[in-house]
Every structure is written in C-alpha cells, then in structure tokens.
Amino acid sequence: MFGLIGNFGPWELLLILVIVLIVVGPGKLPQVGKSLGSALQNFRKAKEEDFEELEEKKDK
C-alpha cells in the first residue's frame, strides 16, 4: 500500500492539480502553496533539531 505513494506520473500530478484548483480555487492557490511550503520547512527544521538532540544524547 505504501509503495504506491512514490509512483506519481505526470498524469496523476495533473489530476491532483485540477482537483486542488476545483476545491480551493485559483485565487487562493498561492496562499495554499505558501502555507504548504512553510509547513514543510517547519517539519524539516523540527526533524533536524530532533536528530541533533539524539546525537547529543548519544555522545554523552
């Protein structure tokens, strides 16, 4: 089931974009993209902080 997550082709991505445009609307799409980008950035930052914390505990 989880092996299918990474198998997106161009048609699947186009279909997802069309669905997002229908649901969100073209006017709000930049805000959604900005929110998604900041959420991913915060997730990566938190992940890196956790790895650093684990390395500090490992070194002690």
Side-chain angles (χ1 to χ4, degrees):
M1 180 172 143
F2 292 109
L4 297 175
I5 292 174
N7 296 332
F8 287 123
W11 291 110
E12 288 85 2
L13 293 175
L14 183 65
L15 178 65
I16 291 170
L17 180 62
V18 168
I19 291 171
V20 168
L21 279 172
I22 291 171
V23 172
V24 176
K28 299 252 182 187
L29 193 60
Q31 290 176 336
V32 171
K34 184 178 179 181
S35 298
L36 184 61
S38 66
L40 285 173
Q41 185 179 17
N42 289 336
F43 177 74
R44 288 180 184 154
K45 183 178 176 183
K47 183 179 76 168
E48 288 174 6
E49 289 174 357
D50 285 346
F51 281 138
E52 289 173 3
E53 186 177 317
L54 286 174
E55 286 179 9
E56 288 176 5
K57 287 182 180 180
K58 181 181 168 185
D59 291 339
K60 289 183 181 181

